[in-house]
Protein backbone atom coordinates (compact mmCIF):
# COMPACT_ATOMS: atom_id res chain seq x y z
CA UNK A 1 0.00 0.00 0.00
CA UNK A 2 1.31 3.43 -0.96
CA UNK A 3 1.27 5.59 2.17
CA UNK A 4 2.58 9.08 1.51
CA UNK A 5 1.91 10.26 5.08
CA UNK A 6 4.12 7.50 6.40
CA UNK A 7 6.93 8.34 3.97
CA UNK A 8 6.79 11.98 5.06
CA UNK A 9 6.87 11.03 8.73
CA UNK A 10 9.90 8.84 8.12
CA UNK A 11 11.63 11.60 6.15
CA UNK A 12 11.35 13.94 9.14
CA UNK A 13 12.98 11.32 11.36
CA UNK A 14 15.70 10.60 8.84
CA UNK A 15 16.63 14.26 8.51
CA UNK A 16 16.50 15.11 12.20
CA UNK A 17 20.00 16.14 13.23
CA UNK A 18 21.31 15.46 9.72
CA UNK A 19 20.22 18.54 7.76
CA UNK A 20 23.62 20.17 7.23
CA UNK A 21 24.68 18.28 4.10
CA UNK A 22 21.19 18.23 2.52
CA UNK A 23 20.88 22.00 3.02
CA UNK A 24 24.36 22.70 1.64
CA UNK A 25 23.83 20.42 -1.36
CA UNK A 26 20.49 22.12 -2.08
CA UNK A 27 22.19 25.51 -1.93
CA UNK A 28 24.87 24.39 -4.40
CA UNK A 29 22.26 22.99 -6.81
CA UNK A 30 20.10 26.12 -6.67
CA UNK A 31 23.10 28.41 -7.18
CA UNK A 32 24.38 26.44 -10.16
CA UNK A 33 20.99 26.35 -11.82
CA UNK A 34 20.47 30.03 -11.07
CA UNK A 35 23.79 31.02 -12.63
CA UNK A 36 23.15 28.94 -15.75
CA UNK A 37 19.56 30.11 -16.13
CA UNK A 38 20.39 33.79 -15.64
CA UNK A 39 21.33 34.50 -19.32
CA UNK A 40 18.16 32.86 -20.61
CA UNK A 41 16.07 34.74 -18.06
CA UNK A 42 17.68 38.04 -19.07
CA UNK A 43 16.95 37.33 -22.74
CA UNK A 44 13.32 36.53 -21.92
CA UNK A 45 12.95 39.70 -19.89
CA UNK A 46 14.60 41.74 -22.62
CA UNK A 47 12.35 40.32 -25.34
CA UNK A 48 9.26 40.79 -23.21
CA UNK A 49 10.03 44.48 -22.70
CA UNK A 50 11.05 45.18 -26.27
CA UNK A 51 8.60 46.19 -28.98
CA UNK A 52 9.11 45.39 -32.64
CA UNK A 53 9.12 48.19 -35.15
CA UNK A 54 8.04 46.82 -38.53
CA UNK A 55 9.32 49.91 -40.33
CA UNK A 56 13.02 49.65 -39.47
CA UNK A 57 13.27 46.09 -38.17
CA UNK A 58 14.79 46.96 -34.79
CA UNK A 59 13.77 46.34 -31.21
CA UNK A 60 12.96 49.49 -29.28
CA UNK A 61 13.34 49.48 -25.53
CA UNK A 62 12.83 52.81 -23.84
CA UNK A 63 14.84 55.45 -25.63
CA UNK A 64 17.43 53.11 -27.16
CA UNK A 65 17.48 50.66 -30.03
CA UNK A 66 18.82 47.14 -30.05
CA UNK A 67 19.66 45.11 -33.13
CA UNK A 68 17.50 41.98 -33.18
CA UNK A 69 19.31 38.79 -32.28
CA UNK A 70 18.41 35.20 -31.61
CA UNK A 71 18.81 33.93 -28.07
CA UNK A 72 21.71 31.53 -27.78
CA UNK A 73 20.61 27.93 -27.15
CA UNK A 74 23.90 27.20 -25.38
CA UNK A 75 22.83 28.17 -21.82
CA UNK A 76 19.69 26.06 -22.13
CA UNK A 77 21.65 23.10 -23.47
CA UNK A 78 24.22 23.34 -20.69
CA UNK A 79 21.46 23.61 -18.09
CA UNK A 80 19.76 20.52 -19.48
CA UNK A 81 22.98 18.51 -19.43
CA UNK A 82 23.95 19.72 -15.98
CA UNK A 83 20.49 18.81 -14.69
CA UNK A 84 21.24 15.13 -15.24
CA UNK A 85 24.53 15.37 -13.36
CA UNK A 86 23.00 17.30 -10.46
CA UNK A 87 20.06 14.91 -10.31
CA UNK A 88 22.23 11.79 -10.06
CA UNK A 89 24.46 13.41 -7.39
CA UNK A 90 21.41 14.46 -5.37
CA UNK A 91 19.80 11.05 -5.77
CA UNK A 92 22.96 9.36 -4.53
CA UNK A 93 23.06 11.57 -1.42
CA UNK A 94 19.48 10.76 -0.43
CA UNK A 95 19.91 7.07 -1.19
CA UNK A 96 22.85 7.06 1.24
CA UNK A 97 20.86 9.00 3.83
CA UNK A 98 18.07 6.43 3.57
CA UNK A 99 20.51 3.63 4.36
CA UNK A 100 22.43 5.22 7.22
CA UNK A 101 21.75 6.62 10.67
CA UNK A 102 24.49 9.17 11.25
CA UNK A 103 24.99 12.60 9.65
CA UNK A 104 26.69 12.38 6.27
CA UNK A 105 29.59 14.63 5.23
CA UNK A 106 29.35 16.89 2.22
CA UNK A 107 31.82 14.57 0.49
CA UNK A 108 28.96 12.08 -0.02
CA UNK A 109 27.22 14.61 -2.26
CA UNK A 110 30.51 15.23 -4.07
CA UNK A 111 30.97 11.48 -4.51
CA UNK A 112 27.66 11.40 -6.36
CA UNK A 113 29.25 13.45 -9.14
CA UNK A 114 31.42 10.45 -9.97
CA UNK A 115 28.24 9.05 -11.52
CA UNK A 116 28.05 12.02 -13.88
CA UNK A 117 28.04 9.94 -17.06
CA UNK A 118 25.18 7.76 -15.83
CA UNK A 119 23.27 10.88 -14.86
CA UNK A 120 23.91 12.57 -18.19
CA UNK A 121 22.93 9.56 -20.29
CA UNK A 122 19.93 8.85 -18.07
CA UNK A 123 18.67 12.40 -18.38
CA UNK A 124 19.09 12.47 -22.16
CA UNK A 125 17.37 9.09 -22.56
CA UNK A 126 14.48 10.10 -20.32
CA UNK A 127 14.18 13.54 -21.94
CA UNK A 128 14.05 11.97 -25.40
CA UNK A 129 11.17 9.67 -24.55
CA UNK A 130 9.22 12.30 -22.61
CA UNK A 131 9.63 14.66 -25.57
CA UNK A 132 8.40 12.05 -28.04
CA UNK A 133 5.37 11.23 -25.92
CA UNK A 134 4.66 14.94 -25.48
CA UNK A 135 4.43 15.28 -29.26
CA UNK A 136 1.28 13.17 -29.07
CA UNK A 137 -0.17 15.36 -26.34
CA UNK A 138 0.96 16.95 -23.10
CA UNK A 139 -0.82 14.44 -20.85
CA UNK A 140 0.90 11.30 -22.25
CA UNK A 141 4.24 13.04 -21.83
CA UNK A 142 3.44 13.90 -18.22
CA UNK A 143 2.30 10.36 -17.47
CA UNK A 144 5.49 8.95 -18.95
CA UNK A 145 7.57 11.40 -16.91
CA UNK A 146 6.02 9.87 -13.79
CA UNK A 147 6.65 6.39 -15.17
CA UNK A 148 10.35 7.17 -15.59
CA UNK A 149 10.66 9.03 -12.27
CA UNK A 150 12.50 6.25 -10.42
CA UNK A 151 15.32 5.97 -12.96
CA UNK A 152 17.84 8.13 -11.16
CA UNK A 153 17.39 6.38 -7.82
CA UNK A 154 18.03 3.06 -9.56
CA UNK A 155 21.06 4.45 -11.38
CA UNK A 156 22.43 5.91 -8.14
CA UNK A 157 21.80 2.82 -6.04
CA UNK A 158 22.64 0.01 -8.44
CA UNK A 159 25.69 0.63 -10.63
CA UNK A 160 25.25 -2.66 -12.49
CA UNK A 161 21.97 -1.45 -14.01
CA UNK A 162 22.27 0.42 -17.30
CA UNK A 163 20.24 3.41 -18.41
CA UNK A 164 17.77 1.58 -20.65
CA UNK A 165 17.20 -1.13 -18.06
CA UNK A 166 16.73 1.48 -15.34
CA UNK A 167 13.91 2.95 -17.41
CA UNK A 168 12.27 -0.48 -17.78
CA UNK A 169 12.56 -1.12 -14.04
CA UNK A 170 11.10 2.31 -13.27
CA UNK A 171 8.13 1.62 -15.54
CA UNK A 172 7.53 -1.71 -13.82
CA UNK A 173 7.82 -0.20 -10.33
CA UNK A 174 5.42 2.67 -11.03
CA UNK A 175 2.80 0.58 -12.83
CA UNK A 176 -0.40 1.09 -10.88
CA UNK A 177 1.14 3.81 -8.69
CA UNK A 178 1.43 6.78 -11.06
CA UNK A 179 -1.56 8.53 -9.53
CA UNK A 180 -0.17 7.95 -6.02
CA UNK A 181 3.15 9.50 -7.05
CA UNK A 182 1.37 12.44 -8.65
CA UNK A 183 -0.64 13.06 -5.47
CA UNK A 184 2.57 12.78 -3.43
CA UNK A 185 4.22 15.50 -5.53
CA UNK A 186 1.02 17.55 -5.44
CA UNK A 187 0.98 17.41 -1.65
CA UNK A 188 4.10 19.62 -1.56
CA UNK A 189 2.44 22.54 -3.38
CA UNK A 190 1.77 24.36 -0.11
CA UNK A 191 5.40 24.06 0.91
CA UNK A 192 6.53 25.21 -2.54
CA UNK A 193 4.35 28.32 -2.34
CA UNK A 194 5.72 29.05 1.11
CA UNK A 195 9.26 28.75 -0.26
CA UNK A 196 8.42 31.18 -3.06
CA UNK A 197 7.02 33.69 -0.57
CA UNK A 198 10.35 33.64 1.28
CA UNK A 199 12.23 34.35 -1.98
CA UNK A 200 13.41 30.75 -2.09
CA UNK A 201 15.15 30.74 1.29
CA UNK A 202 12.90 28.04 2.75
CA UNK A 203 13.64 25.83 -0.24
CA UNK A 204 16.93 25.02 1.46
CA UNK A 205 14.91 23.03 4.01
CA UNK A 206 11.82 22.18 1.96
CA UNK A 207 13.63 20.45 -0.90
CA UNK A 208 15.56 18.04 1.38
CA UNK A 209 12.24 17.09 3.01
CA UNK A 210 10.68 16.52 -0.40
CA UNK A 211 13.64 14.54 -1.73
CA UNK A 212 13.82 12.33 1.36
CA UNK A 213 10.11 11.60 1.14
CA UNK A 214 10.34 10.69 -2.55
CA UNK A 215 13.30 8.37 -1.86
CA UNK A 216 11.19 6.60 0.77
CA UNK A 217 8.47 6.15 -1.83
CA UNK A 218 11.09 4.70 -4.18
CA UNK A 219 12.12 2.11 -1.58
CA UNK A 220 8.48 1.18 -1.03
CA UNK A 221 7.78 0.79 -4.75
CA UNK A 222 10.90 -1.29 -5.23
CA UNK A 223 10.09 -3.58 -2.30
CA UNK A 224 6.48 -3.95 -3.46
CA UNK A 225 7.59 -4.85 -7.00
CA UNK A 226 9.89 -7.55 -5.62
CA UNK A 227 7.29 -8.90 -3.18
CA UNK A 228 4.62 -9.08 -5.87
CA UNK A 229 6.94 -10.88 -8.30
CA UNK A 230 6.84 -8.09 -10.87
CA UNK A 231 10.61 -7.74 -10.42
CA UNK A 232 13.30 -9.73 -8.67
CA UNK A 233 16.34 -8.69 -6.67
CA UNK A 234 18.48 -9.98 -9.52
CA UNK A 235 16.90 -7.36 -11.79
CA UNK A 236 18.69 -4.69 -9.79
CA UNK A 237 22.10 -6.28 -10.28
CA UNK A 238 24.72 -7.69 -7.96
CA UNK A 239 26.22 -5.79 -5.07
CA UNK A 240 29.03 -3.42 -5.99
CA UNK A 241 31.80 -1.79 -3.97
CA UNK A 242 30.47 1.27 -2.19
CA UNK A 243 26.84 0.51 -3.09
CA UNK A 244 25.81 -2.32 -0.81
CA UNK A 245 22.28 -0.91 -0.71
CA UNK A 246 21.62 -2.46 -4.11
CA UNK A 247 19.07 -5.25 -4.40
CA UNK A 248 17.68 -4.78 -0.93
CA UNK A 249 20.93 -4.86 1.03
CA UNK A 250 21.65 -2.60 3.96
CA UNK A 251 23.76 0.50 4.32
CA UNK A 252 27.04 1.12 2.61
CA UNK A 253 29.72 -0.04 5.07
CA UNK A 254 32.20 2.49 3.72
CA UNK A 255 29.77 5.29 4.46
CA UNK A 256 28.02 4.00 7.54
CA UNK A 257 31.26 2.96 9.22
CA UNK A 258 29.95 -0.55 9.78
CA UNK A 259 31.58 -3.84 8.77
CA UNK A 260 30.37 -5.45 5.60
CA UNK A 261 27.92 -8.31 5.86
CA UNK A 262 29.90 -11.55 6.00
CA UNK A 263 27.06 -13.89 5.04
CA UNK A 264 23.99 -13.81 2.81
CA UNK A 265 21.83 -14.14 5.92
CA UNK A 266 23.35 -10.99 7.40
CA UNK A 267 22.84 -9.11 4.16
CA UNK A 268 19.17 -10.07 4.00
CA UNK A 269 18.34 -8.88 7.52
CA UNK A 270 18.00 -5.17 6.61
CA UNK A 271 15.70 -6.01 3.74
CA UNK A 272 13.48 -7.94 6.12
CA UNK A 273 13.28 -4.94 8.41
CA UNK A 274 12.43 -2.73 5.46
CA UNK A 275 9.65 -5.06 4.32
CA UNK A 276 8.28 -5.21 7.84
CA UNK A 277 7.93 -1.45 7.89
CA UNK A 278 6.43 -0.92 4.46
CA UNK A 279 3.94 -3.76 4.48
CA UNK A 280 2.99 -3.98 8.11
CA UNK A 281 4.53 -7.39 8.77
CA UNK A 282 5.62 -7.98 12.31
CA UNK A 283 9.42 -7.97 12.57
CA UNK A 284 10.57 -11.33 13.85
CA UNK A 285 13.88 -13.14 14.11
CA UNK A 286 14.46 -15.33 11.07
CA UNK A 287 15.88 -18.85 11.00
CA UNK A 288 19.41 -17.47 10.70
CA UNK A 289 19.10 -15.51 13.92
CA UNK A 290 18.64 -12.08 12.37
CA UNK A 291 16.17 -10.19 14.54
CA UNK A 292 14.38 -6.89 14.19
CA UNK A 293 13.86 -5.13 17.51
CA UNK A 294 10.36 -3.89 17.98
CA UNK A 295 11.37 -0.60 19.64
CA UNK A 296 8.84 1.87 20.88
CA UNK A 297 5.86 3.15 18.96
CA UNK A 298 5.92 6.85 18.21
CA UNK A 299 2.97 9.20 18.53
CA UNK A 300 1.62 7.96 15.19
CA UNK A 301 1.72 4.36 16.32
CA UNK A 302 4.55 3.41 13.97
CA UNK A 303 7.38 1.11 14.90
CA UNK A 304 10.60 3.08 15.43
CA UNK A 305 13.05 0.23 14.91
CA UNK A 306 11.88 -0.80 11.44
CA UNK A 307 10.89 2.68 10.34
CA UNK A 308 13.47 3.33 7.71
CA UNK A 309 13.62 1.96 4.18
CA UNK A 310 17.34 1.27 4.29
CA UNK A 311 16.74 -1.13 7.17
CA UNK A 312 19.48 0.37 9.36
CA UNK A 313 17.35 2.26 11.90
Amino acid sequence: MFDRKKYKAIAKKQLKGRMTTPVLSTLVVLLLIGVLCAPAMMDSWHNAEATVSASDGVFRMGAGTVTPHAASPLPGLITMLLSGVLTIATSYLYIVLSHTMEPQPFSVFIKGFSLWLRGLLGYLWMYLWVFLWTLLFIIPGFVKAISYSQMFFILAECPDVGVTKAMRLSKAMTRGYKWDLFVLWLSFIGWSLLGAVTCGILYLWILPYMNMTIVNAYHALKAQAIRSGVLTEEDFGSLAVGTDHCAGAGSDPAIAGAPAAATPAAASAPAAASDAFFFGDEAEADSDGADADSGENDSDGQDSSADFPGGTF
Side-chain angles (χ1 to χ4, degrees):
M1 179 180 177
F2 194 95
D3 192 342
R4 66 179 184 278
K5 292 183 179 179
K6 184 179 289 186
Y7 309 150
K8 289 182 177 182
I10 298 169
K12 293 177 182 177
K13 292 181 180 181
Q14 290 168 311
L15 292 173
K16 186 176 181 180
R18 304 201 297 167
M19 282 292 288
T20 301
T21 296
V23 168
L24 289 177
S25 65
T26 301
L27 178 61
V28 169
V29 170
L30 292 178
L31 286 176
L32 286 174
I33 292 178
V35 169
L36 289 173
C37 288
M41 292 175 64
M42 291 299 294
D43 281 342
S44 298
W45 177 79
H46 177 91
N47 292 333
E49 290 291 328
T51 57
V52 180
S53 172
S55 59
D56 55 13
V58 298
F59 287 98
R60 299 190 181 279
M61 186 174 180
T65 62
V66 182
T67 303
H69 65 281
S72 172
L74 186 59
L77 178 62
I78 295 176
T79 301
M80 183 181 72
L81 297 178
L82 183 62
S83 294
V85 179
L86 292 176
T87 300
I88 195 72
T90 301
S91 299
Y92 179 80
L93 170 62
Y94 287 94
I95 285 290
V96 171
L97 286 170
S98 72
H99 284 280
T100 56
M101 297 174 60
E102 55 282 319
Q104 296 300 314
F106 189 73
S107 59
V108 173
F109 175 61
I110 299 301
K111 183 179 179 181
F113 283 92
S114 65
L115 304 173
W116 66 272
L117 184 58
R118 293 169 63 78
L120 179 60
L121 294 177
Y123 192 86
L124 291 175
W125 188 241
M126 181 182 70
Y127 186 87
L128 170 65
W129 283 102
V130 171
F131 173 74
L132 292 176
W133 280 102
T134 304
L135 292 179
L136 297 178
F137 197 62
I138 294 178
I139 293 179
F142 182 74
V143 171
K144 286 300 179 179
I146 298 176
S147 180
Y148 308 148
S149 62
Q150 309 303 303
M151 277 184 63
F152 283 93
F153 298 130
I154 298 171
L155 291 172
E157 188 178 38
C158 303
D160 291 342
V161 177
V163 169
T164 56
K165 185 176 181 180
M167 176 176 283
R168 294 196 301 269
L169 294 178
S170 180
K171 290 192 292 184
M173 289 167 57
T174 57
R175 189 173 297 121
Y177 294 98
K178 295 182 185 67
W179 176 254
D180 296 296
L181 286 169
F182 174 69
V183 173
L184 174 63
W185 297 340
L186 204 63
S187 67
F188 289 108
I189 282 185
W191 285 109
S192 299
L193 293 176
L194 186 60
V197 169
T198 61
C199 298
I201 295 175
L202 276 184
Y203 283 135
L204 296 177
W205 289 269
I206 293 172
L207 291 178
Y209 172 49
M210 293 173 59
N211 288 332
M212 200 75 249
T213 300
I214 293 170
V215 166
N216 290 336
Y218 157 75
H219 282 297
L221 292 173
K222 177 181 174 183
Q224 173 60 29
I226 293 174
R227 279 177 72 96
S228 63
V230 174
L231 298 173
T232 66
E233 291 191 356
E234 288 72 22
D235 288 325
F236 293 90
S238 59
L239 300 184
V241 176
T243 51
D244 289 342
H245 345 304
C246 189
S251 60
D252 183 346
I255 297 172
T263 64
S268 65
S274 177
D275 287 350
F277 165 68
F278 279 122
F279 303 104
D281 297 334
E282 182 179 0
E284 297 178 346
D286 62 18
S287 58
D288 294 306
D291 69 334
D293 299 330
S294 60
E296 295 180 356
N297 292 332
D298 59 16
S299 58
D300 297 320
Q302 297 173 5
D303 183 77
S304 61
S305 65
D307 268 4
F308 297 88
T312 60
F313 281 69

